[in-house]
Amino acid sequence: MIEIFAPTGVPEVRPGDDVAELLLRALENDPRGPLRDGDLVVITSKIVSKAEGRFIAAEDRRAARVAESRRVVARRGDTVIVEHRLGLVHAAAGIDASNVEAGRALLLPVDPDASARGIRRALTGATGLRLGVLISDTAGRAWRTGQTDLTIGLAGVLAVDSHVGRTDDYGNDLRVTEIAVADEIAAAADLAKTKLGGRPFAVVRGLGHLVIDDDGTATTLQRAEAKDFFRLGRREAVLDTVLRATGQAARYAEVVELDGEELIRAVCAGADPADHAWITRLLTLVG
């Protein structure tokens, strides 16, 4: 049987706080504590960022988003989807101003896998147990409405359970099935933590077979570029194609956040005048 619970009584996290110690203290007053061998601990990335002092001023969010991003994936108005420097695809590079004091925002942890490893070492050192640690964050999905939690860092947990090479009950060979178990755990844990409950930790019990001796990495869950069908949004894919066709591929980051006539003028400025008409038609069509 799988059991998921989120202890209460966790204080506001400050820079320099010991996240593992905060969890152990919270479990002291929870009837389902302490930790047991094989438990998986899911930690909201926000408190890891707070403990690591990843605060910025709210007015610096755009500059921070640019600094934290590899590329713009898609943009509609003020909503900007980017590939984060960690390889994650997030709105606004995962920068979040919720559950922080007014005038401030939080960046994602510098290295969520490293953070998870450090917390796991502290927990196993304090308890002597075999444990797994996952750091979760909220994200949207390309095909679905709404958000769910996924794993951005982990240690000692199987990230993907590949069924490739197995057969089902009917004798069919499984060729593409890979279960993102770390993301499923993060999403399930969020049902216990809730977004506004003030419970940043969840313990998932009953999945000890997913605890591994190696540290592992959450990057296993990131789709390789060659297999990414949604690497760019519709507008951005057209813009990228136009820039490549006119010898301006390197200007994508420079112009992708421009709109309307401003975008058309910028692209046409670097193109042969004979191409201006078709460039204008294409960029007008995609908005």
Side-chain angles (χ1 to χ4, degrees):
M1 181 178 70
I2 301 171
E3 178 184 7
I4 305 173
F5 63 95
T8 59
V10 180
E12 177 64 23
V13 178
R14 308 287 182 187
D17 280 351
D18 186 324
V19 173
E21 183 179 350
L22 291 174
L23 169 63
L24 294 173
R25 286 181 184 175
L27 287 171
E28 287 176 357
N29 299 313
D30 192 293
R32 294 155 295 191
L35 290 172
R36 300 179 189 172
D37 201 72
D39 280 351
L40 303 175
V41 176
V42 184
I43 304 168
T44 302
S45 65
K46 185 163 294 178
I47 68 161
V48 177
S49 291
K50 288 182 177 181
E52 293 179 357
R54 298 283 285 160
F55 292 95
I56 59 169
E59 61 265 28
D60 295 334
R61 289 180 69 176
R62 186 184 185 283
R65 188 256 296 167
V66 173
E68 290 282 288
S69 302
R70 292 179 180 171
R71 63 186 177 90
V72 173
V73 174
R75 184 179 65 82
R76 299 294 182 273
D78 293 332
T79 301
V80 184
I81 309 299
V82 303
E83 180 184 353
H84 190 274
R85 58 175 177 77
L86 296 169
L88 304 163
V89 175
H90 265 330
I95 300 170
D96 195 352
S98 64
N99 291 311
V100 296
E101 60 191 48
R104 305 180 87 184
L106 274 174
L107 306 178
L108 291 178
V110 174
D111 184 341
D113 278 336
S115 301
R117 289 193 297 269
I119 294 168
R120 183 186 183 219
R121 282 195 298 268
L123 290 174
T124 57
T127 65
L129 299 173
R130 189 167 174 265
L131 306 167
V133 171
L134 305 93
I135 295 176
S136 67
D137 194 50
T138 303
R141 284 92 35 89
W143 289 319
R144 307 284 285 181
T145 296
Q147 297 81 38
T148 186
D149 267 29
L150 48 75
T151 295
I152 66 170
L154 59 79
V157 183
L158 183 68
V160 177
D161 184 11
S162 176
H163 285 45
V164 175
R166 304 183 196 179
T167 57
D168 64 19
D169 289 343
Y170 295 92
N172 299 307
D173 292 331
L174 300 179
R175 300 180 181 178
V176 297
T177 303
E178 294 181 300
I179 310 301
V181 289
D183 282 348
E184 291 185 326
I185 293 164
D190 190 54
L191 295 174
K193 293 184 295 175
T194 73
K195 296 301 180 191
L196 301 174
R199 293 174 291 175
F201 301 108
V203 177
V204 180
R205 185 165 287 164
L207 294 175
H209 63 284
L210 297 178
V211 177
I212 60 176
D213 294 329
D214 296 335
D215 283 326
T217 173
T219 60
T220 305
L221 293 153
Q222 296 175 13
R223 192 180 298 277
E225 179 179 344
K227 297 181 179 180
D228 188 353
F229 289 4
F230 301 94
R231 188 160 178 79
L232 292 172
R234 181 177 70 102
R235 169 186 173 275
E236 291 69 28
V238 171
L239 174 59
D240 182 64
T241 300
V242 169
L243 292 173
R244 291 178 185 277
T246 56
Q248 305 180 75
R251 297 187 65 205
Y252 177 82
E254 172 193 341
V255 302
V256 68
E257 296 196 49
L258 302 179
D259 284 312
E261 291 298 323
E262 186 179 13
L263 173 62
I264 292 169
R265 285 195 301 271
V267 175
C268 285
D272 189 306
D275 294 327
H276 288 187
W278 69 262
I279 291 172
T280 300
R281 286 196 299 272
L282 272 179
L283 295 183
T284 300
L285 281 173
V286 296

